Amino acid sequence: MTNIALVVGSTGITGSNLAENLILKGWTTYGLARNPRTDVAGLTPIAANLLDINDLSDKLRDIAPTHVFFTTWMRNETEAENIRVNSALVRNLLDTLSAKQTVKHVALVTGLKHYLGPFDAYAKAGTLPETPVREEHPRLDIENFYYAQEDEVYAAADRDGFTWSIHRPHTVIGHAVGNLMNMGSTLAVYASICKETGRPFRFPGSAAQWEGISDVTDAQILAEQMIWAAVTDAAYNEAFNIANGDVFRWKWLWKQIADWFGIEPVGFDTTIHPLETEMKGYDVLWQEIAAKYQLKEPALSRISNAWHTDLDLGRPLEVMTDMSKSRKLGFAVYKDTRDSFFGLFGKLRAENLIP
């Protein structure tokens, strides 16, 4: 039977890289988003609103996926709203597909906030986990939309009989213009501005992040694990951490990034300097840089999202990911983190998105 993939959130970092990987492996691939890309060879776009059951039913009427890869979420003002909205996204989709009885596996991407707590709570005392984070760590006694999304998958699996996998990446590094959680592109834009203007390339985060051990997740590594878990019996009905497989300290990587751009790094100076503050008002400056170098995207907000980078780099503890579980089951893909960042920077430059 042909594997038919439905990638939900196909325009994001995770979804777009996953869709490309599935297509390369010969899967029939559909990409669902509010405004899906129509220029990806081999990808059939589906424009649909996950919060509108009638729209979903209409748009998916003739689509019978065997595998669903859920890679999207919607940011809201409170965690209670995050829970209400983001659980509905999953529930609506799986309810719509239920009658077809074609789905064999559902993969859900969440993240390390499973262990750290949601955006507005994970830096508070009392919620900090023991690291490295491991899949067997219990849920925190706190509201978290990741838990609500997982519970929707579990309930639908019990009802419809499909297998599932949960994937918990650290910060995802990959290419996707307009994404809300894009540290790699944000640092590339910040470094480009520093180089152009002579501003200091100053580390914006905390002492714990500067000095502590960390890791990140290449979007291609995440895609590989999701596909592996979707077709590997031993991986069914399991949750997996996913990171590149190496570790680093930001005080080392910051210099590596600075060297790539040919600028001087400035390390942690006893104070957090959030990029959201550092880059405030840079919209016009970026338009000028874009005009000077004839860049493809003059809108700073389309390629830089400082708020999420600040949340990651401002954490009050070192955060690293234990990868033993999937390694023991046979998932052995690895990526050097420098290659993740430098590969992205090179692609952004080649596509004329940074100078």
Side-chain angles (χ1 to χ4, degrees):
M1 183 178 179
T2 302
N3 288 325
I4 302 172
L6 175 63
V7 179
V8 184
S10 58
T11 59
I13 294 178
T14 298
S16 60
N17 282 274
L18 173 62
E20 290 174 5
N21 202 307
L22 287 163
I23 292 164
L24 286 173
K25 293 182 186 298
W27 290 51
T28 299
T29 307
Y30 294 89
L32 188 152
R34 278 187 175 238
N35 298 293
R37 289 180 61 183
T38 58
D39 60 344
V40 180
L43 181 67
T44 302
I46 302 171
N49 180 358
L50 288 166
L51 291 176
D52 186 335
I53 286 283
N54 292 329
D55 185 50
L56 269 178
S57 298
D58 179 56
K59 300 298 176 52
L60 295 175
R61 179 177 291 111
D62 299 321
I63 311 299
T66 58
H67 295 73
V68 175
F69 299 91
F70 202 96
T71 72
T72 193
W73 70 292
M74 294 179 67
R75 187 186 182 195
N76 296 275
E77 289 296 321
T78 66
E79 193 59 21
E81 273 298 286
N82 275 333
I83 290 170
R84 184 185 69 81
V85 171
N86 288 291
S87 61
L89 301 182
V90 177
R91 183 172 60 254
N92 290 349
L93 179 76
L94 297 182
D95 284 355
T96 299
L97 295 174
S98 180
K100 298 177 185 291
Q101 288 295 296
T102 61
V103 176
K104 298 192 295 185
H105 186 87
V106 172
L108 171 68
V109 178
T110 59
L112 294 199
K113 288 186 294 299
H114 181 94
Y115 311 108
L116 301 171
F119 290 125
D120 61 355
Y122 69 30
K124 295 180 181 178
T127 65
L128 301 182
E130 197 174 2
T131 58
V133 293
R134 295 179 171 86
E135 293 91 341
E136 65 264 27
H137 286 181
R139 289 183 176 185
L140 300 171
D141 185 19
I142 191 170
E143 289 186 323
N144 191 328
F145 81 84
Y146 284 174
Y147 305 160
Q149 287 191 312
E150 286 184 357
D151 289 343
E152 293 294 345
V153 171
Y154 302 153
D158 287 342
R159 177 190 66 203
D160 297 333
F162 57 74
T163 59
W164 52 265
S165 57
I166 309 295
H167 303 267
R168 298 170 184 161
H170 198 167
T171 302
V172 178
I173 305 301
H175 181 270
V177 175
N179 187 266
L180 291 177
M181 299 164 68
N182 202 332
M183 177 192 283
S185 294
T186 298
L187 293 183
V189 168
Y190 177 48
S192 298
I193 289 173
C194 291
K195 183 173 184 177
E196 181 69 18
T197 63
R199 289 167 168 80
F201 184 58
R202 181 166 56 186
F203 182 71
S206 67
Q209 285 292 297
W210 180 251
E211 296 286 347
I213 295 174
S214 190
D215 53 25
V216 296
T217 306
D218 190 282
Q220 287 294 319
I221 294 282
L222 175 53
E224 289 281 1
Q225 192 195 59
M226 293 178 75
I227 298 170
W228 165 82
V231 297
T232 302
D233 289 355
Y236 291 161
N237 303 331
E238 297 286 351
F240 296 108
N241 291 335
I242 176 62
N244 281 358
D246 62 352
V247 294
F248 62 88
R249 299 181 196 276
W250 275 104
K251 66 180 181 181
W252 170 82
L253 185 59
W254 199 249
K255 183 180 185 304
Q256 302 284 317
I257 293 173
D259 286 348
W260 196 93
F261 283 94
I263 54 181
E264 286 297 317
V266 177
F268 180 74
D269 63 0
T270 74
T271 303
I272 294 177
H273 300 279
L275 284 181
E276 199 160 26
T277 300
E278 294 286 299
M279 298 175 71
K280 188 175 183 180
Y282 279 10
D283 300 76
V284 173
L285 173 59
W286 185 254
Q287 289 174 11
E288 293 171 355
I289 293 172
K292 178 179 178 180
Y293 294 99
Q294 298 182 317
L295 300 182
K296 188 184 297 183
E297 182 51 73
L300 184 64
S301 62
R302 288 276 298 160
I303 51 175
S304 173
N305 303 97
W307 68 272
H308 187 261
T309 298
D310 286 338
L311 286 166
D312 275 3
L313 297 184
R315 291 168 175 160
L317 79 166
E318 65 177 16
V319 180
M320 71 196 93
T321 310
D322 184 87
M323 282 286 293
S324 300
K325 184 175 180 179
S326 61
R327 295 283 190 247
K328 288 179 179 179
L329 295 176
F331 182 76
V333 184
Y334 167 89
K335 184 91 171 187
D336 186 312
T337 288
R338 288 172 296 186
D339 293 341
S340 293
F341 278 98
F342 301 163
L344 171 62
F345 299 159
K347 190 169 186 178
L348 292 173
R349 183 166 285 172
E351 293 185 1
N352 205 33
L353 289 166
I354 61 172

